[in-house]
Each structure stands twice: as C-alpha cells, then as structure tokens.
C-alpha cells in the first residue's frame, strides 16, 4: 500500500525571499536602470545590455515621462520589493529628474545612483560609469539578507485593461 503524503496548504508554502530595509520581502533581487527621458534610453539600454545579467532590467517611457501615470509607475517600481537597487539616467531637461528618483529609492533603503549624461562627459563615459556602478551593486546585492516568506508576503501588480 502506498504511503499517503500530507498536502501542504498553499498559504503554508514558503521559500526564501530578499529582505528590504522597509520590512517587505521580494522574490527577486533586481537592479532597475531607469531612463528618465527618451533621449537617455540609448545610454541606459547600453548599460543593461553590457551588464549582461538577468537581474538588471531597463525601464522608461517614450517622450519626457511628463504624465502622472508614468511618474506613478516609476515610483511604484522603485518601491516594489523585487527591486534591490536603482540607477537613474537622464539629460537634465526632463520633467522627472533622475536625482529625485534616486532619492525615492534611498528613502526606501535601496542603493541608488543617478547621472546626467552630459555632466559625466557624454555617451561613452556615462555608459562606463553606469556599468561600473551596476557591477558594484550586483556584487553588493549578492549579500542581501534572506528570510522565509509566504504567499501573504507577495506584492503582486496588475494592469487594468485601460477602459
């Protein structure tokens, strides 16, 4: 006769999550590279591509990110427990300034850095500086404390159909 295995209830299932300074837990430990204006997308995307790491992700919007929906989405992503660090790349002319985004991440206890492409010496230097910071942060994120988490600890996003 076969042994009967006891079923684990979904709410009792657990795994190790990444502990954030604000007490939330994430199932991922992503480094978010944000471009704050379409004109800085190339530099931000180059940093992500050259990092070649699955936990480094690109985020931004066409144009100057000058609408409240886009601003709210950026803030929500920075605050999400799956994000462990943030790099914001801009030009200086945009509505949403990269320094402001980095400050939001800092208030959440997440490592953050920002730059204006022109101030660091142009495209090549900005990519090199951003890549150096990303590599440093990836090494640091490896040491993020872990803690048992449950279904109740998950933060799940949903997108409305735009009605």
């Amino acid at each position: 006769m076969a042994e009967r295995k006891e079923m684990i209830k979904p709410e009792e299932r657990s795994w190790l999550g990444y502990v954030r300074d604000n007490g939330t837990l994430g199932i991922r430990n992503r480094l978010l590279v944000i471009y704050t204006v379409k004109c800085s997308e190339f530099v931000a995307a180059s940093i992500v591509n050259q990092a070649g790491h699955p936990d480094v992700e690109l985020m931004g919007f066409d144009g100057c990110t000058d609408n409240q929906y886009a601003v709210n989405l950026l803030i929500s992503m920075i605050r999400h427990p799956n994000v462990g660090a943030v790099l914001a790349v801009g030009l200086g002319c945009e509505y949403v300034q990269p320094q402001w985004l980095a400050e939001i991440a800092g208030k959440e206890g997440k490592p953050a850095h920002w730059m204006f492409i022109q101030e660091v010496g142009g495209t090549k230097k900005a990519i090199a500086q951003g890549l150096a910071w990303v590599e440093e942060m990836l090494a640091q994120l490896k040491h993020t404390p872990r803690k048992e988490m449950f279904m109740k600890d998950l933060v799940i996003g949903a997108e409305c159909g735009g009605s």
Side-chain angles (χ1 to χ4, degrees):
M1 186 180 259
E3 285 186 40
R4 184 175 173 198
K5 293 184 180 181
E6 192 167 324
M7 297 292 290
I8 298 173
K9 296 176 185 174
E11 64 271 13
E12 294 174 349
R13 292 179 195 263
S14 69
W15 58 91
L16 289 179
Y18 295 94
V19 180
R20 302 299 171 211
D21 285 357
N22 64 8
T24 59
L25 297 166
I27 60 172
R28 304 278 186 263
N29 206 16
R30 305 288 194 207
L31 191 157
L32 191 59
V33 179
I34 298 172
Y35 58 93
T36 56
V37 64
K38 182 70 172 174
C39 302
S40 62
E41 180 183 15
F42 176 82
V43 168
S46 296
I47 293 167
V48 170
N49 291 336
Q50 289 181 33
H53 195 284
D55 289 331
V56 180
E57 295 195 28
L58 180 67
M59 182 171 191
F61 297 93
D62 285 344
C64 295
T65 314
D66 57 353
N67 69 73
Q68 198 58 49
Y69 174 81
V71 172
N72 291 346
L73 188 56
L74 288 175
I75 293 169
S76 293
M77 290 303 296
I78 289 168
R79 290 180 174 157
H80 197 282
N82 285 345
V83 174
V86 175
L87 171 63
V89 180
L91 293 176
C93 60
E94 56 271 41
Y95 175 74
V96 175
Q97 294 290 300
Q99 180 178 4
W100 180 68
L101 296 176
E103 288 170 0
I104 292 169
K107 288 177 184 172
E108 294 292 315
K110 298 176 182 186
H113 182 68
W114 66 276
M115 69 171 117
F116 289 134
I117 296 167
Q118 295 95 321
E119 287 183 7
V120 298
T123 299
K124 287 183 181 180
K125 289 182 180 179
I127 293 169
Q129 185 184 83
L131 189 56
W133 189 84
V134 164
E135 289 171 353
E136 180 182 332
M137 283 305 104
L138 286 171
Q140 183 177 321
L141 288 173
K142 287 180 183 177
H143 303 290
T144 303
R146 306 289 299 265
K147 180 181 173 184
E148 186 177 32
M149 68 183 290
F150 300 88
M151 296 291 270
K152 67 181 175 71
D153 299 312
L154 287 176
V155 174
I156 298 174
E159 182 179 344
C160 174
S163 57

